[in-house]
């Protein structure tokens, strides 16, 4: 009985009110449509930015700080940055511990450096000291063999340098590489 009365009242308002009811309905609908459009636009912007971050990460692994800096460069708010970082971590696209392992392996393979230089580079990339220390405890590096590999490659360049100068150059080279 009440439901029928409400329907009849609504119908009566629509008939009697005429233009006022229509104007109110149009206002409500346009407000809803504008809000929905704004939300969809925001979701599209989020998806576009997320795809850009995935593209960045696909080229090489990144640290959390590198991605945060990238997002701040695009002038994004803190809530968007934190939600995107948590989404990337949840999907295991961001993992600083895995980054350390990858980075050290890359350095040892292509441009050997000592522990001191590696620690400094990892700190620059935003890795915490605790995580760096734990990583070196889990997987210690053999600096002596890395230094030998680096010097062996460099000796070809020093072939024509006199012996005493060669020694100085090698020592300087090794110290710049963090050995």
């Amino acid at each position: 009985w009440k439901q029928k009365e409400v329907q009849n009242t609504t119908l009566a308002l629509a008939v009697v009110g005429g233009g006022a009811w229509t104007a109110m309905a149009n206002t409500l609908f346009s407000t809803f449509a504008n809000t929905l459009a704004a939300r969809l636009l925001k979701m599209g912007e989020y998806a576009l930015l997320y795809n850009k971050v995935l593209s960045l990460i696909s080229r090489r692994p990144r640290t959390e700080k590198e991605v945060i800096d990238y997002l701040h460069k695009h002038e994004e708010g803190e809530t968007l940055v934190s939600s995107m970082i948590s989404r990337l971590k949840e999907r295991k696209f961001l993992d600083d511990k895995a980054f350390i392992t990858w980075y050290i392996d890359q350095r040892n393979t292509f441009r050997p450096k000592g522990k001191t230089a590696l620690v400094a580079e990892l700190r620059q990339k935003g890795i915490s000291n605790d995580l760096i220390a734990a990583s070196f405890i889990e997987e210690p590096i053999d600096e002596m063999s890395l230094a030998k590999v680096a010097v062996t490659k460099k000796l070809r360049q020093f072939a024509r340098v006199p012996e005493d100068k060669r020694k100085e150059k090698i020592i300087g080279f090794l110290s710049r590489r963090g050995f």
Side-chain angles (χ1 to χ4, degrees):
W1 178 83
K2 289 255 183 202
Q3 187 177 9
K4 219 173 204 185
E5 186 178 315
V6 170
Q7 287 175 348
N8 289 339
T9 306
T10 307
L11 184 60
L13 281 173
V15 171
V16 173
W21 181 256
T22 307
M24 187 172 78
N26 285 341
T27 303
L28 283 172
F29 180 75
S30 67
T31 303
F32 173 75
N34 289 340
T35 305
L36 182 62
R39 290 181 81 193
L40 288 173
L41 184 63
K42 198 85 160 156
M43 287 170 50
E45 289 172 0
Y46 181 87
L48 182 66
L49 188 61
Y50 186 75
N51 285 337
K52 284 182 180 180
V53 170
L54 288 179
S55 175
L56 177 77
I57 292 173
S58 70
R59 289 182 225 130
R60 74 164 178 83
R62 305 285 174 165
T63 64
E64 186 177 333
K65 181 188 178 291
E66 288 176 315
V67 174
I68 289 171
D69 291 345
Y70 178 81
L71 290 170
H72 283 304
K73 187 177 86 177
H74 284 70
E75 298 176 10
E76 298 304 329
E78 283 302 315
T79 54
L80 180 99
V81 170
S82 63
S83 72
M84 192 159 304
I85 293 296
S86 63
R87 185 176 178 190
L88 291 167
K89 281 182 169 181
E90 185 179 288
R91 296 191 174 167
K92 305 226 186 296
F93 291 135
L94 271 185
D95 182 4
D96 283 352
K97 189 173 171 88
F99 177 84
I100 292 172
T101 304
W102 173 83
Y103 191 79
I104 291 172
D105 183 52
Q106 290 295 307
R107 277 293 183 210
N108 291 345
T109 303
F110 298 108
R111 191 179 172 121
K113 290 195 175 191
K115 184 179 175 183
T116 308
L118 287 172
V119 168
E121 288 177 357
L122 289 169
R123 279 188 191 140
Q124 260 186 333
K125 296 196 174 292
I127 307 285
S128 71
N129 291 336
D130 297 336
L131 205 52
I132 294 170
S135 175
F136 281 113
I137 289 171
E138 286 177 18
E139 293 182 41
I141 58 172
D142 182 14
E143 287 187 285
M144 186 60 82
S145 65
L146 290 174
K148 286 179 183 178
V149 169
V151 168
T152 304
K153 288 180 182 178
K154 199 70 171 172
L155 276 177
R156 286 178 242 143
Q157 292 179 0
F158 298 145
R160 297 180 188 204
V161 178
E163 185 66 34
D164 57 331
K165 291 271 189 191
R166 186 180 316 154
K167 208 176 212 180
E168 287 176 26
K169 287 188 175 280
I170 290 172
I171 290 170
F173 168 75
L174 288 173
S175 68
R176 285 188 297 278
R177 287 276 182 105
F179 290 105

